[in-house]
Amino acid sequence: MVERLLWEQEVVGSNPACPIIMNLDFLDDYWTKKNVFVNKHFLKINSFLTNEIDAPCIPEDKIKTKYKGKKKWDLHVPSKKIAIEYKSIGVDNNSKKAKRNYGNRMDEALGIAFDVKAYDKEYKLGYLLVCATPAHLCQNKITIWANNYIKFFDRLIEDEVYDFFCILMTKGISNHIQISEKYSMDNFIKEINEVPSIHKQGLESFMI
């Protein structure tokens, strides 16, 4: 069953635990060309999650994998054995480009998760997807592509390829929304914080 996106619900924001709009100003950097060009547009997300997660976090940290040997994840929570990947995706009127981007993101998500869990199947993985779209874009197109990503990660989480997923949308400076109640930032952080820390001795073989 396809989830109804938050803007499709009859009473938007009626659930105080998951409002449609929250303080997502850390996404403003996406629209700063300089930050995107030098791949710095996710730095504020690092700061936000580091403050919200109840365990020490290491940005851009490498962990061991079976086939490539190591993989740098955007945020690593060693004491919980959690690694989080951030990705942004453009949503526009170019259907061919959107389909290609969707395929590329699927391939990337599957590959990096497989390599880590082949080394240690107990490692937990999170994926934060930011959909960037011009404010004038047709709402129907946004709904279609957002639901495609949600359905894809529904399957990945069901099969324990990934453990946490969050999907957000940015339409410009100070114009950001949570588009899925199930995969909101609130739930993303809550589920990560529910994972207990492990003993230090169990981490040493995994750190590079």
Side-chain angles (χ1 to χ4, degrees), residues 177-189:
I177 56 175
Q178 298 191 88
I179 59 177
S180 167
E181 184 169 359
K182 180 179 180 181
Y183 296 124
S184 67
M185 177 62 79
D186 308 77
N187 286 336
F188 188 69
I189 294 167

Side-chain angles (χ1 to χ4, degrees), residues 30-31 89-92 131-137 142 169-172:
Y30 183 89
W31 300 99
I89 189 81
V91 180
D92 55 29
C131 297
T133 178
H136 66 270
L137 188 67
I142 300 172
M169 180 163 290
T170 177
K171 295 185 176 185

Side-chain angles (χ1 to χ4, degrees), residues 68-142:
K68 290 186 67 177
K70 58 186 176 181
K71 161 73 171 80
K72 182 169 71 175
W73 289 76
D74 290 295
L75 198 67
H76 186 202
V77 190
S79 64
K80 291 176 178 279
K81 291 181 74 172
I82 292 174
I84 303 171
E85 183 81 354
Y86 311 149
K87 290 294 181 183
S88 59
I89 189 81
V91 180
D92 55 29
N93 288 310
N94 188 331
S95 297
K96 289 183 178 180
K97 180 181 178 182
K99 186 176 182 179
R100 183 173 64 251
N101 288 341
Y102 176 69
N104 289 340
R105 287 292 179 255
M106 286 194 297
D107 290 344
E108 292 168 0
L110 287 167
I112 61 176
F114 176 78
D115 204 6
V116 169
K117 293 206 172 185
Y119 186 89
D120 185 344
K121 64 182 180 180
E122 295 183 355
Y123 229 79
K124 296 186 180 295
L125 304 179
Y127 198 99
L128 172 58
L129 181 65
V130 177
C131 297
T133 178
H136 66 270
L137 188 67
C138 173
Q139 198 78 72
N140 184 53
K141 286 183 178 291
I142 300 172

Side-chain angles (χ1 to χ4, degrees), residues 127-176:
Y127 198 99
L128 172 58
L129 181 65
V130 177
C131 297
T133 178
H136 66 270
L137 188 67
C138 173
Q139 198 78 72
N140 184 53
K141 286 183 178 291
I142 300 172
T143 300
I144 290 171
W145 284 109
N147 269 322
N148 284 342
Y149 285 107
I150 288 170
K151 288 187 290 185
F152 176 58
F153 272 91
D154 274 340
R155 298 195 299 271
L156 293 187
I157 288 176
E158 181 180 355
D159 293 339
E160 298 182 347
V161 178
Y162 279 84
D163 304 274
F164 321 104
F165 177 57
C166 175
I167 182 169
L168 304 174
M169 180 163 290
T170 177
K171 295 185 176 185
I173 299 292
S174 299
N175 189 359
H176 322 295

Side-chain angles (χ1 to χ4, degrees), residues 34-67:
K34 180 179 178 181
N35 285 332
V36 174
F37 179 75
V38 296
N39 200 29
K40 299 296 184 183
H41 54 301
F42 284 139
L43 288 180
K44 288 186 178 178
I45 297 181
N46 281 340
S47 298
F48 176 81
L49 288 176
T50 297
N51 288 332
E52 296 293 330
I53 294 173
D54 64 356
C57 302
I58 306 175
E60 300 184 15
D61 196 27
K62 293 180 180 178
I63 59 177
K64 293 180 181 178
T65 65
K66 183 171 182 178
Y67 299 103

